[in-house]
């Protein structure tokens, strides 16, 4: 027991005799009244007087000794109390929530000073000082001391211990304690010191000193009564409280000891059990004869027995004793003046731990729901979203998770009744679980938990799969292997988005022995509900993206037209994040020429794709007129401007603010390429020697902006060169600018020198991977030349008699080419065309035959007036020439040149 100043506690042990009690005030008063009757005895020299004087001397010595002892005890108790109080206050403030965090702030004083002053006033200490590890004060009752170095030894506290010391300060003798402040990692981040003067602590003891002196005076007076009175006094003292009061005091002590809900043990210094109350007997299941036996012989578990027998200090150490979790506290009693040994208290914390465990489970579930909110649905991909749900739940919630979706969901469509499921995600703590593999298609039988879940749209829990015949009916052999593997519990939750069931999520447990319960079923439903929304969003996006891509691809050329001027390969990569307006085309023109066009509509979405289709159609129409590149881009510019002006987009619809385009015409006869561009990157030319250059084509603003004319650039391309056309998605993205992209493109083309166009396309896309946020269109066209032996040209004088000469030359040339079968029709076509040129045109007049995939006849003259096809009346003498040409030729038309016009006609080769 602990002795407190000014208080006397009597605790008789079991089986002890009658205790000694102090004199009551009534007895002291009575003794003072009798002192007068002893004066005669005191003044004599008899034996009684000598005994009296000896008694007085003895009492005086005892009084002086008691006063001295009391003074020393007061000082000792004051010092101990000051040390204990200062240490307790310092430790409490150091371990208070927020102290360690406040020391990390830029201005700890602003946070800690108010708290320190409030704690100082509440605890009655003289100061509470918080300082950094260098001893610089952050708090002090006197603000002018803040920022100065602390006076005292802080070395042990910096090492993680505590230090208490007595110092003489400005406020007198005081005791101060220094304790460390540690962060969550156990590192010392600061120090706290609390101090109190011994005068303040010793106030209660000082108040007892007058009472002691009064009692000493009374004792001195009582000594005059002699030995007889002392004997009577002792007798009366014995019966002061009375036997009943002494018995009641013992009974109350015993009742309290054995009624508290904490177990109490007292162990002697020799390791024997001296006392155990009823609660300790119950908690430790001690035998009836446990007292006076050694603790190590009582049959306790080794850890608990070693702790109790050791006598070391312990605070809330948790020990598992059979099925109970006991919090053990142990303190030595010798330090308080008692005999050697220790007192142990035991508290049953099993129920508290159970509540704490449930709170921890609830917190973990809230964390899982939060992680599901931020971690599921990070992409608009159905499969990836399903994988994110499975990865989140393993192993935090389940040991194995499988996600099964209808095939239609993967295509962005809605499932139909009776459709099969496909396994899109499998995640588990092991890879060898005997479950349906990834990508497997199957259907669940109606009696299985999965089948019932899909049919009702509600989750189904099977705590014990071994007792579920409906689940085993799915596949007797497979389910048997699953049970042998150790999977014993299942929750099946349908993935629902409104009334639409997307698929099924299955949560399985094997390593965790406890089966799933209804609370975990509710958690699984919440997780799946959040994932289902993301999966449905991904499904809708997949559907819309597929529709847009389908529209976009339907507007692009499905196959390249047949022509002989260029060997062409292409690549088109739609954007992953949204459909764009990139497009390209290859257009055969008259005279064996070929037009290449590539463009990019600004913006993304269906509107951009539709606008791209309109522009492509317009280019087809304008190309049919055989317009030069600059004139064709001018017409497109007007068209895009009208689209922007005439169409007002609906709310949230994309707005088309222009388009870029590059248009090139290659003539295999002259090997010349004419190019014009509107806001588009220049074409690259890979020469036969492996060098790469970008054609110097005059830049112009994008289509739809207007204001500036378009210019053309003409270059002669060596045979075997590769003309490379592309959109900006290939060479430009957020990670690099267009100049760096052009350098990479040139390097990729140089590495592909000598390769086929298909191999060149592959090499370019390998070196310049397409950015998923923009479309990419790439065309590689290797040039071919129409050799001179396949071309025949003549100049024709403006004389009708020259027509026969032309027919003769044509007949001989066709015979040279082995095309005698075409002589009659070709002579007729050229006769009509040359006659019209002589009659209605101007010189110079020329005739050119080209033997390519078709036989091409061209008649040129200096006039810009184009003949028109018409039906001649039966009375008309002329007007049937062009009609005959149109009937005999496969195609015919007119194109304008800077020097006039050319009328051409094509015939298929036999």
């Amino acid at each position: 027991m602990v002795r407190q100043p000014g208080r006397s506690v009597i605790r008789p042990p079991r089986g002890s005799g009658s205790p000694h009690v102090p004199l009551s005030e009534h007895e002291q008063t009575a003794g003072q009244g009798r002192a007068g009757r002893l004066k005669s005895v005191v003044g004599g020299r008899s034996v009684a007087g000598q005994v009296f004087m000896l008694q007085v001397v003895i009492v005086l010595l005892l009084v002086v000794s008691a006063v001295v002892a009391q003074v020393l005890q007061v000082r000792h108790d004051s010092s101990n109390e000051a040390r204990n109080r200062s240490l307790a206050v310092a430790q409490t403030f150091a371990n208070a929530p927020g102290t360690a965090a406040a020391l990390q702030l830029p201005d700890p004083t602003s946070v800690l000073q108010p708290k320190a002053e409030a704690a100082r006033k509440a605890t009655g200490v003289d100061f509470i000082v918080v300082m950094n590890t260098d001893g610089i004060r952050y708090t002090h009752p006197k603000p002018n001391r803040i920022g100065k170095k602390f006076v005292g030894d802080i070395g042990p506290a910096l090492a993680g211990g505590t230090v208490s010391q007595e110092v003489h300060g400005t406020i007198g003798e005081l005791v101060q304690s220094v304790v460390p402040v540690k962060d969550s990692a156990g590192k010392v981040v600061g120090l706290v010191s609390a101090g109190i003067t011994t005068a303040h602590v010793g106030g209660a003891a000082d108040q007892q000193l007058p009472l002691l002196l009064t009692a000493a005076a009374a004792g001195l007076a009582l000594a005059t009564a002699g030995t007889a009175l002392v004997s009577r006094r002792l007798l009366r003292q014995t019966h002061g409280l009375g036997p009943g009061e002494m018995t009641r005091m013992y009974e109350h002590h015993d009742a309290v000891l054995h009624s508290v809900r904490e177990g109490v043990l007292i162990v002697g210094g020799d390791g024997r059990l001296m006392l155990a109350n009823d609660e300790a007997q119950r908690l430790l299941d001690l035998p009836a004869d446990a007292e006076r036996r050694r603790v190590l012989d009582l049959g306790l578990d080794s850890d608990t027995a070693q702790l109790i027998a050791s006598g070391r200090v312990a605070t809330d150490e948790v020990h598992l004793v059979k099925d109970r979790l006991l919090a053990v506290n142990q303190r030595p009693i010798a330090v308080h003046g008692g005999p050697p040994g220790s007192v142990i208290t035991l508290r049953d914390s099993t129920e508290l731990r159970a509540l704490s465990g449930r709170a921890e489970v609830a917190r973990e579930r809230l964390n899982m729901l939060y992680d599901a909110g931020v971690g599921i649905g990070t992409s608009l991909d159905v499969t990836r979203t399903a994988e994110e749900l499975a990865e989140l739940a393993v192993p935090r919630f389940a040991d194995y998770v499988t996600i099964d979706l209808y095939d239609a969901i993967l295509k962005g469509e809605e499932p139909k009744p009776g459709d099969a499921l496909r396994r899109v995600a499998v995640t588990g703590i092991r890879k060898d679980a005997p479950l349906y593999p990834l990508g497997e298609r199957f259907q669940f039988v109606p009696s299985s938990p999965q089948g019932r879940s899909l049919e009702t749209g509600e989750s189904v829990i099977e705590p014990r799969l071994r007792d579920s015949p409906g689940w085993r009916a799915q596949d007797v052999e497979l389910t048997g292997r699953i049970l042998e593997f150790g999977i014993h519990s299942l929750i099946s939750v349908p993935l629902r988005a409104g009334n639409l069931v997307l698929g099924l999520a299955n949560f399985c447990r094997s390593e965790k022995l406890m089966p799933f319960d209804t609370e975990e079923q509710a958690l699984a439903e919440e997780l799946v509900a959040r994932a289902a929304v993301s999966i449905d969003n991904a499904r809708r996006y997949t559907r819309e993206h597929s529709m847009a891509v389908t529209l976009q691809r339907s507007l692009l050329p499905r196959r390249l037209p047949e022509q002989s001027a260029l060997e062409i390969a292409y690549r088109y990569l739609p954007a992953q994040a949204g459909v764009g307006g990139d497009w390209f085309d290859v257009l055969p023109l008259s005279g064996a020429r070929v037009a290449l066009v590539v463009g990019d509509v600004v913006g993304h979405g269906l509107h951009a794709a539709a606008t791209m289709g309109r522009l492509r159609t317009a280019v087809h129409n304008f190309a049919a007129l055989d317009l030069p590149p600059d004139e064709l881009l001018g017409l497109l510019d007007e068209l895009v401007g009208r689209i922007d002006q005439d169409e007002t987009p609906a709310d949230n619809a994309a707005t088309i603010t222009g388009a870029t385009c590059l248009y090139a015409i290659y003539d295999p006869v002259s090997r010349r390429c004419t190019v014009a561009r509107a806001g588009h990157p220049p074409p690259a030319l890979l020469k036969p020697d492996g060098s790469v250059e970008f054609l110097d084509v005059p830049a112009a603003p994008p289509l739809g902006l207007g204001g500036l004319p378009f210019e053309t650039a003409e270059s002669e391309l060596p045979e075997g060169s590769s003309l490379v056309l592309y959109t900006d998605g290939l060479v430009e993205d957020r990670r690099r600018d267009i100049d760096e992209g052009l350098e990479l493109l040139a390097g990729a083309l140089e590495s592909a020198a000598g390769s086929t166009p298909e191999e060149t396309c592959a090499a370019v896309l390998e070196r310049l991977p397409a950015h998923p946020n923009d479309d990419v269109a790439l065309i590689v066209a290797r040039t071919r030349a129409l050799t001179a032996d396949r071309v025949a040209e003549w100049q024709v004088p403006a004389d009708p008699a020259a027509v026969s000469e032309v027919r003769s030359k044509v007949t001989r040339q066709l015979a040279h080419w082995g095309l005698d079968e075409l002589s009659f029709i070709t002579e007729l076509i050229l006769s009509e065309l040359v006659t019209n040129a002589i009659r209605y045109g101007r010189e110079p007049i020329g005739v050119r035959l080209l033997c390519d995939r078709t036989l091409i006849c061209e008649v040129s003259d200096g006039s810009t007036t184009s003949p028109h096809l018409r039906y001649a009346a039966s009375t008309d003498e002329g007007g049937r020439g062009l009609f005959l040409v149109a009937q005999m030729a496969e195609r015919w038309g007119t194109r304008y040149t800077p020097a006039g016009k050319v009328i051409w006609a094509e015939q298929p080769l036999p």
Side-chain angles (χ1 to χ4, degrees):
M1 300 184 64
V2 180
R3 296 179 181 175
Q4 298 181 359
R7 183 178 178 186
S8 178
V9 180
I10 300 176
R11 182 181 175 184
R14 296 180 181 180
S16 64
S18 299
H20 295 281
V21 297
L23 297 177
S24 66
E25 294 181 1
H26 174 73
E27 291 170 335
Q28 294 177 7
T29 304
Q32 291 173 357
R34 298 186 189 92
R37 297 196 296 269
L38 299 177
K39 291 182 180 179
S40 59
V41 178
V42 174
R45 291 291 181 266
S46 61
V47 175
Q50 293 176 2
V51 172
F52 172 76
M53 294 304 296
L54 181 61
Q55 182 83 5
V56 170
V57 172
I58 293 174
V59 170
L60 285 175
L61 290 175
L62 292 175
V63 170
V64 172
S65 299
V67 171
V68 173
Q70 179 67 16
V71 172
L72 295 176
Q73 184 66 34
V74 166
R75 291 184 178 180
H76 180 266
D77 289 347
S78 299
S79 177
N80 284 345
E81 182 64 12
R83 181 178 290 102
N84 292 337
R85 287 180 61 183
S86 64
L87 181 60
V89 170
Q91 288 179 332
T92 302
F93 194 87
N95 296 322
T99 301
L103 287 170
Q104 308 297 324
L105 298 177
D107 184 13
T109 299
S110 62
V111 177
L112 296 175
Q113 176 70 2
K115 294 183 178 180
E117 285 303 293
R120 180 183 66 82
K121 295 176 181 178
T123 56
V125 298
D126 291 295
F127 68 85
I128 296 178
V129 173
V130 182
M131 68 197 87
N132 61 15
T133 54
D134 296 327
I136 304 303
R137 299 187 185 101
Y138 288 141
T139 67
H140 197 278
K142 297 180 180 181
N144 60 355
R145 302 291 177 87
I146 296 175
K148 297 181 179 180
K149 191 170 183 64
F150 176 77
V151 179
D153 182 16
I154 63 174
L158 291 176
T162 61
V163 58
S164 297
Q165 51 191 328
E166 297 182 9
V167 298
H168 181 77
T170 57
I171 58 176
E173 296 291 335
L174 58 85
V175 176
Q176 63 183 16
S177 298
V178 183
V179 300
V181 180
K182 300 180 180 180
D183 58 13
S184 58
K187 179 183 178 182
V188 177
V189 297
L191 305 173
V192 174
S193 175
I196 183 171
T197 59
T198 55
H200 288 175
V201 179
D206 292 341
Q207 294 175 4
Q208 298 172 10
L209 190 58
L211 179 61
L212 177 63
L213 295 176
T214 302
L220 183 60
L222 290 175
T224 60
T227 304
L229 293 178
V230 171
S231 299
R232 291 182 61 188
R233 224 36 200 212
L234 291 176
L235 180 62
R236 292 179 62 183
Q237 255 189 345
T238 304
H239 300 283
L241 293 176
E245 292 183 3
M246 293 294 296
T247 301
R248 283 196 301 273
M249 186 177 70
Y250 174 78
E251 290 175 348
H252 291 166
H253 159 268
D254 195 63
V256 171
L257 179 66
H258 294 283
S259 298
V260 295
R261 291 193 61 186
E262 288 192 1
V264 179
L265 301 173
I266 297 179
V267 178
D270 57 354
R272 296 182 181 273
L273 180 64
M274 305 302 297
L275 182 146
N277 69 348
D278 293 345
E279 184 69 6
Q281 293 272 358
R282 184 184 70 84
L283 295 177
L284 297 178
D285 195 17
L286 296 175
D289 59 345
E291 294 186 1
R292 300 295 178 181
R293 292 177 57 185
R294 291 178 58 83
V295 173
L296 298 176
D297 299 334
L298 296 178
L300 302 177
D301 68 279
S302 59
D303 291 342
T304 307
Q306 290 292 341
L307 170 63
I308 295 175
S310 67
R312 65 177 175 83
V313 175
T315 302
D316 288 335
E317 284 193 16
V318 178
H319 287 257
L320 180 62
V321 179
K322 296 185 178 179
D323 58 345
R324 297 187 181 94
L325 289 173
L326 301 183
V328 181
N329 290 274
Q330 181 167 262
R331 294 292 186 275
I333 56 178
V335 296
H336 301 292
S342 58
V343 59
I344 300 97
T345 61
L346 309 171
R347 185 174 66 256
D348 190 354
S349 62
T350 305
E351 182 179 354
L352 181 62
R353 280 301 178 98
L355 292 175
S356 176
R358 287 196 290 270
E360 180 66 21
V361 170
R363 185 184 67 83
E364 173 61 20
R365 291 177 179 177
L366 288 175
N367 288 340
M368 283 188 63
L369 293 177
Y370 172 78
D371 293 341
V374 300
I376 298 178
T378 58
S379 65
L380 291 173
D381 183 82
V382 173
T383 301
R384 181 55 195 154
T385 304
E387 291 172 350
E388 289 170 346
L389 169 60
E391 292 168 357
L392 173 72
V394 176
R396 298 168 64 179
F397 177 67
D399 296 324
Y400 298 93
V401 175
T402 61
I403 310 297
D404 308 319
L405 298 177
Y406 290 106
D407 276 339
I409 301 300
L410 302 176
K411 301 175 183 177
E413 304 170 358
E414 295 185 2
K416 298 179 181 179
D419 285 355
L421 293 167
R422 183 181 297 275
R423 182 141 295 175
V424 298
V426 180
T427 303
I429 57 177
R430 291 175 57 181
K431 301 296 185 182
D432 57 343
L435 303 171
Y436 284 131
L438 192 68
E440 181 83 6
R441 293 182 76 252
F442 49 83
Q443 288 183 322
F444 289 107
V445 297
S447 64
S448 66
Q450 297 91 336
R452 300 200 308 271
S453 179
L454 291 173
E455 181 179 358
T456 62
E458 303 293 337
S459 65
V460 176
I461 182 173
E462 285 291 349
R464 294 173 177 82
L465 290 175
R466 192 173 295 276
D467 302 332
S468 175
W471 173 72
R472 304 190 72 168
Q474 174 69 28
D475 188 329
V476 177
E477 181 181 355
L478 178 62
T479 53
R481 295 203 309 270
I482 291 175
L483 291 175
E484 292 177 1
F485 185 76
I487 295 177
H488 59 83
S489 190
L490 168 70
I491 297 177
S492 293
V493 185
L495 287 154
R496 295 183 55 183
N499 295 326
L500 180 63
V501 177
L502 310 174
L504 196 67
N506 301 296
F507 302 88
C508 303
R509 180 166 285 177
S510 63
E511 297 294 329
K512 300 175 183 177
L513 300 180
M514 294 297 295
F516 286 117
D517 55 28
T518 54
E519 292 184 1
E520 292 172 317
Q521 182 182 8
L523 175 61
E525 291 174 351
E526 184 67 22
L527 289 174
V528 172
R530 300 192 179 199
V533 174
S534 298
I535 290 177
D536 188 53
N537 289 338
R539 177 191 68 85
R540 294 173 182 271
Y541 171 78
T542 300
R543 180 186 61 188
E544 295 176 1
H545 186 264
S546 298
M547 292 172 56
V549 170
T550 301
L551 172 62
Q552 188 181 37
R553 290 192 179 277
S554 67
L555 297 175
L556 292 172
R558 299 186 179 180
R559 61 183 181 87
L560 297 180
E562 295 181 356
Q563 48 81 32
S564 302
L566 298 169
E567 180 186 356
I568 298 176
Y570 68 92
R571 294 289 188 276
Y572 184 82
L573 304 178
Q576 298 297 320
V579 175
D582 290 18
W583 55 286
F584 68 94
D585 222 331
V586 178
L587 306 172
L589 302 178
S590 63
R593 297 170 304 139
V594 177
L596 300 175
V597 58
V598 63
D600 183 5
V601 176
V602 177
H604 290 83
L606 292 176
H607 192 50
T611 303
M612 175 268 288
R614 298 171 68 176
L615 292 180
R616 180 170 178 257
T617 302
V619 170
H620 273 260
N621 295 331
F622 296 150
L625 300 177
D626 253 333
L627 297 176
D630 54 341
E631 294 183 19
L632 187 142
L633 292 182
L635 294 176
L636 284 180
D637 182 56
E638 295 180 6
L639 175 62
V640 174
R642 286 197 302 271
I643 292 175
D644 285 341
Q645 294 174 5
D646 297 342
E647 295 188 2
T648 301
D651 293 341
N652 300 325
T655 301
I656 303 300
T657 59
T660 67
C661 184
L662 186 145
Y663 189 81
I665 297 177
Y666 173 69
D667 186 350
V669 177
S670 63
R671 292 184 288 106
R672 302 196 68 82
C673 181
T674 306
V675 185
R677 63 185 177 120
H680 205 83
L685 180 64
L686 174 60
K687 297 181 179 180
D689 60 1
S691 62
V692 177
E693 68 171 303
F694 291 93
L695 299 183
D696 186 12
V697 182
L703 301 175
L705 301 182
L708 294 175
F710 298 98
E711 300 181 50
T712 61
E714 189 171 351
S715 304
E716 184 175 340
L717 307 182
E719 184 178 1
S721 301
S722 293
L723 188 64
V724 181
L725 281 64
Y726 52 90
T727 56
D728 58 358
L730 180 68
V731 295
E732 184 178 17
D733 61 28
R734 297 175 182 175
R735 297 169 297 177
R736 60 173 182 261
D737 58 23
I738 191 170
D739 291 334
E740 182 181 355
L742 292 176
E743 292 180 3
L744 292 175
L745 174 60
L749 293 175
E750 290 176 352
S751 65
S755 303
T756 64
E758 284 289 340
E759 295 171 343
T760 303
C761 285
V764 169
L765 292 182
E766 183 179 355
R767 292 281 295 273
L768 285 85
H771 198 276
N773 291 329
D774 198 4
D775 296 355
V776 171
L778 172 66
I779 300 177
V780 177
R782 178 178 291 178
T783 60
R784 296 170 177 165
L786 195 61
T787 58
D789 62 336
R790 311 299 291 178
V791 179
E793 295 183 272
W794 305 280
Q795 293 296 319
V796 181
D799 182 2
V803 175
S804 61
E805 181 65 22
V806 170
R807 287 200 300 267
S808 299
K809 293 180 179 180
V810 167
T811 300
R812 291 192 297 269
Q813 185 63 47
L814 292 179
H816 177 70
W817 286 340
L819 301 176
D820 298 291
E821 298 178 15
L822 301 179
S823 297
F824 175 75
I825 296 177
T826 304
E827 289 180 11
L828 182 59
I829 290 174
L830 285 177
S831 295
E832 293 297 332
L833 296 180
V834 172
T835 300
N836 283 340
I838 294 173
R839 182 176 300 177
Y840 304 108
R842 294 199 302 264
E843 292 184 323
I845 300 173
V847 174
R848 187 171 72 164
L849 291 181
L850 302 177
C851 184
D852 191 28
R853 301 179 64 88
T854 60
L855 179 63
I856 303 171
C857 303
E858 296 181 347
V859 177
S860 61
D861 66 81
S863 172
T864 58
T865 302
S866 176
H868 296 282
L869 179 65
R870 64 185 181 87
Y871 291 93
S874 58
T875 57
D876 291 342
E877 295 183 357
R880 299 178 178 83
L882 284 181
F883 180 80
L884 292 175
V885 171
Q887 294 296 315
M888 296 177 183
E890 186 177 48
R891 292 196 311 153
W892 76 280
T894 303
R895 72 172 181 269
Y896 295 93
T897 65
K901 67 176 183 295
V902 175
I903 302 176
W904 55 271
E906 291 185 4
Q907 303 175 68
L909 297 180

